[in-house]
Amino acid sequence: MSQHLNYTVGGLMAAGGLAGYAKKRSVPSLVAGVSIGLVYGASGYMIANGNAQAGHDLATALSVIVTAIMARRASSSGKLMPAGAVASLALLAAAYNARKSYEWRNGISFS
């Protein structure tokens, strides 16, 4: 069940990339959004198919990178949308996936 967050975040990232392209004809937004979305999707697939540890590790690493990049963009632009929203979403995904990774690595559950 823990793969659902990564599928959702992946879909939102891809949709954001598509929206950036539709609104501003931004090819970098399209490529980055869809690529990031695909990696989140791959992590969800890994989690769903028996490789939960690696899937959560992948999603954690990706989330930390996206949070850092988008937080910097939000800070320099002074705008919450879209960079601040993406940074916030990625930070939540990083926290969730880091916790799940810790649980899998140590054989425990905080639930």
Side-chain angles (χ1 to χ4, degrees):
M1 294 286 287
S2 60
Q3 73 272 13
H4 295 297
L5 176 76
N6 292 338
Y7 288 145
T8 301
V9 172
L12 290 170
M13 294 289 181
L18 290 168
Y21 179 76
K23 186 174 182 181
K24 304 263 185 174
R25 296 289 180 229
S26 172
V27 174
S29 291
L30 176 65
V31 172
V34 171
S35 297
I36 290 167
L38 287 172
V39 175
Y40 273 114
S43 73
Y45 180 83
M46 291 167 72
I47 293 165
N49 289 289
N51 200 354
Q53 180 66 59
H56 287 298
D57 288 345
L58 176 62
T60 299
L62 178 62
S63 297
V64 167
I65 293 166
V66 171
T67 299
I69 291 169
M70 296 308 279
R72 185 169 183 219
R73 285 189 74 185
S75 177
S76 66
S77 73
K79 297 179 183 176
L80 180 62
M81 290 299 283
V86 173
S88 298
L89 179 63
L91 181 61
L92 291 172
Y96 175 80
N97 280 291
R99 177 180 164 176
K100 296 305 280 184
S101 178
Y102 181 83
E103 289 176 6
W104 277 100
R105 191 175 314 279
N106 295 298
I108 60 172
S109 179
F110 292 115
S111 303

